[in-house]
Amino acid sequence: MSDIFERVKHYCMQNDLIRRGDKVLLAVSGGPDSIALLHVLHGMRKAMSFEIAVAHLEHGLRGESSVGDQLFVKKTAQNLMVDFYTKNISVADERARDESLEEAARRVRYRFLLDVLKKTGFHKVATGHTIDDNIETIIYRMATGTGPAGFTGIFPQNTFVIHPVLGCTKDEILFFLDKNEHRFRVDVTNSDTKILRNKIRHDIVPMLSDININYKTHILNLSGIIREEDEILDKITENCLKTLVIEESKNRVLIDYERFFSLKKALKRRIVLKLVRKLNSCDIDQFSGKNYFSFKSTDHVACSQIKGNKILYQNKDLVIRKEYGGLLFQKRVVNEVKKKYLYHIKSDSERIVISEIKREILFSRKESTSQFEDNRLYFDLDKVEFPVLIRSRRNGDRIRLKNLGVKKLKTIFINEKVPPGMRDEVPIVEINGEITGIFSTYYGRQNRVAEGYMITECTRKILICDLSRISQRSNDKKAD
């Protein structure tokens, strides 16, 4: 086998992983791959002029064995005179309701590594992933569901995380450790084939080797081809997306729905995935295992032709909804400042701009109408007393609805699955101290008018309240 130091050095230079003056934090579990990473980079650090330190998180999952790993890594780092950072934590206690134990461990591990980076001034994290890990990752994604991007495997660098030994095989790692008599720890759970990745390693990979001993080369060649093609397709997607964006900020992107829907299905899927990843791009999210967006969800958002306003997808982190002429991708923000507002309408011919939610409402009157549009509220004008209030919700708000009686707005929002962060944005109409209308189209449902203010056969004049996204004309008028 070729000298591992030269292989790793060449791989790092080829992929620009480590530069002169870098401060690299090594994530060392105590297993063979991370111990090899430690010894190799320790041997390279002076010639390439970079610093290293070691970090180890004790997950509290394997009792004395786990603590033994921690002590072993600490002693190894001390013997090499390398700074060592560690922490004990119970992953089981940190686990969220919708997380697997593996996902939780990954999330808290990278949170720990980020904390160490911030405290020490180091700016890169190195892990011990190898060619074998890359192969297993590709097979895992193929078996559990992925698109073409899933076949690109593990990248040499992902933001602040680098993989210096990704060009080495497991056999090369073990040969290096054995030759140099470097000790390492063995995690007994790695032999448990009930864990899917272990099943792939112990059951599936040997079968592939029986079929073709060069299977690793062929899979990596395919991965490389797809990666190169994916880079080209990603640029095409990015250029196309730029022509669709109506509004963009850190936590939300609004694109032109009609133009989006006219695109080819494959391009629409890529745009959806690109926007989902953009909104999930914080440091912890990308390593938490929660970036996965299923093909079913992607296809639903990309291919559902929606006429009215409707929520197409939502979870605790993200909402995607069709509203008016746009398709909105919005990240749910913890502790987001509530958008409270109040506007007074003094006549039936006004236009107001609700800057807090980037909407405008045009008020007008008609003698009669035979067409009712989804984004409008219609009131019996003879029952309306000015000023009319347009405001955000308040605690205890209720509305009397036909055939349903008096309902709390809170109950309506819960039943209609309105995201908590959106509930304070929904425009409410108040007349003479009474809730008379809800602009439910704001979150993709039918508008609601209180029973006592609905249009009937006896209605002579109609007050129309037309909600829409802020137009350029309104922006210009406001600027004046």
Side-chain angles (χ1 to χ4, degrees), residues 453-466:
Y453 293 81
M454 296 176 68
I455 295 172
T456 67
E457 293 179 355
C458 300
T459 298
R460 297 181 301 168
K461 293 176 289 185
I462 301 171
L463 175 65
I464 302 174
C465 309
D466 187 357

Side-chain angles (χ1 to χ4, degrees), residues 384-400:
V384 174
E385 293 183 21
F386 290 94
V388 172
L389 303 185
I390 301 295
R391 62 172 176 84
S392 52
R393 67 165 180 162
R394 296 171 183 167
N395 290 335
D397 276 346
R398 290 172 168 81
I399 185 171
R400 181 177 293 278

Side-chain angles (χ1 to χ4, degrees), residues 138 158 315 347 395 417 425 478:
I138 293 170
N158 184 4
N315 61 20
S347 73
N395 290 335
K417 296 181 173 57
E425 300 177 10
K478 188 176 180 182

Side-chain angles (χ1 to χ4, degrees), residues 18-283:
I18 300 176
R19 297 179 177 180
R20 184 179 297 274
D22 275 352
K23 303 177 74 173
V24 185
L25 183 68
L26 313 187
V28 181
S29 66
D33 300 338
S34 62
I35 288 295
L37 171 74
L38 170 56
H39 285 291
V40 170
L41 293 193
H42 180 265
M44 293 168 47
R45 75 194 192 289
K46 289 185 179 180
M48 294 182 65
S49 300
F50 64 89
E51 296 180 44
I52 64 170
V54 170
H56 175 93
L57 181 66
E58 194 279 300
H59 297 81
L61 294 174
R62 294 182 289 110
E64 292 182 4
S65 177
S66 183
V67 175
D69 292 345
Q70 184 183 35
L71 294 174
F72 171 77
V73 175
K74 178 180 180 180
K75 185 176 180 181
T76 304
Q78 288 175 339
N79 290 340
L80 294 173
M81 291 185 288
V82 174
D83 289 341
F84 176 69
Y85 302 92
T86 190
K87 184 177 182 179
N88 298 71
I89 196 168
S90 173
V91 169
D93 293 338
E94 294 283 332
R95 181 181 176 185
R97 182 179 299 179
D98 61 340
E99 278 185 314
S100 68
L101 204 58
E102 183 182 13
E103 289 171 342
R106 180 179 174 84
R107 176 174 55 78
V108 298
R109 183 163 60 250
Y110 277 99
R111 185 176 65 194
F112 161 68
L113 293 170
L114 273 171
D115 288 342
V116 176
L117 289 184
K118 292 174 182 177
K119 291 176 182 177
T120 61
F122 278 62
H123 55 275
K124 289 182 180 178
V125 170
T127 72
H129 289 92
T130 65
I131 284 176
D132 297 68
D133 294 311
N134 205 356
I135 297 293
E136 291 166 11
T137 296
I138 293 170
I139 296 173
Y140 176 87
R141 291 173 179 174
M142 182 173 61
T144 57
T146 188
F151 285 91
T152 60
I154 302 171
F155 281 63
Q157 179 166 358
N158 184 4
T159 62
F160 62 90
V161 181
I162 61 174
H163 308 292
V165 295
L166 193 58
C168 302
T169 66
K170 186 79 167 187
D171 288 341
E172 289 172 321
I173 293 292
L174 293 174
F175 179 82
F176 164 75
L177 294 172
D178 181 63
K179 179 181 177 181
N180 293 278
E181 298 183 348
H182 293 312
R183 295 173 59 238
F184 57 86
R185 300 277 290 182
V186 176
D187 183 350
V188 293
T189 63
N190 285 341
S191 60
D192 183 2
T193 54
K194 291 180 182 178
I195 300 173
L196 182 54
R197 285 188 178 274
N198 293 340
K199 187 174 184 63
I200 291 171
R201 182 179 305 127
H202 298 297
D203 295 344
I204 306 301
V205 167
M207 292 175 61
L208 293 176
S209 184
D210 290 340
I211 295 172
N212 190 326
I213 197 171
N214 295 317
Y215 76 95
K216 292 180 183 178
T217 300
H218 298 316
I219 290 177
L220 291 178
N221 285 343
L222 173 63
S223 176
I225 291 169
I226 294 176
R227 182 178 300 176
E228 291 171 355
E229 294 181 350
D230 191 64
E231 289 176 357
I232 296 172
L233 292 172
D234 190 60
K235 290 180 181 178
I236 294 173
T237 303
E238 181 67 33
N239 290 334
C240 181
L241 179 57
K242 289 178 181 177
T243 68
L244 302 178
V245 173
I246 298 172
E247 172 192 323
E248 183 173 7
S249 65
K250 180 181 178 181
N251 296 318
R252 54 186 280 147
V253 180
L254 179 71
I255 62 175
D256 187 297
Y257 180 76
E258 186 175 343
R259 295 178 66 184
F260 168 77
F261 199 79
S262 68
L263 301 173
K264 294 291 185 181
K265 185 184 295 186
L267 187 53
K268 287 192 289 184
R269 289 197 193 105
R270 294 186 74 94
I271 288 172
V272 170
L273 289 173
K274 192 169 189 67
L275 290 175
V276 169
R277 289 173 186 143
K278 169 185 167 60
L279 294 173
N280 280 337
S281 63
C282 78
D283 289 334

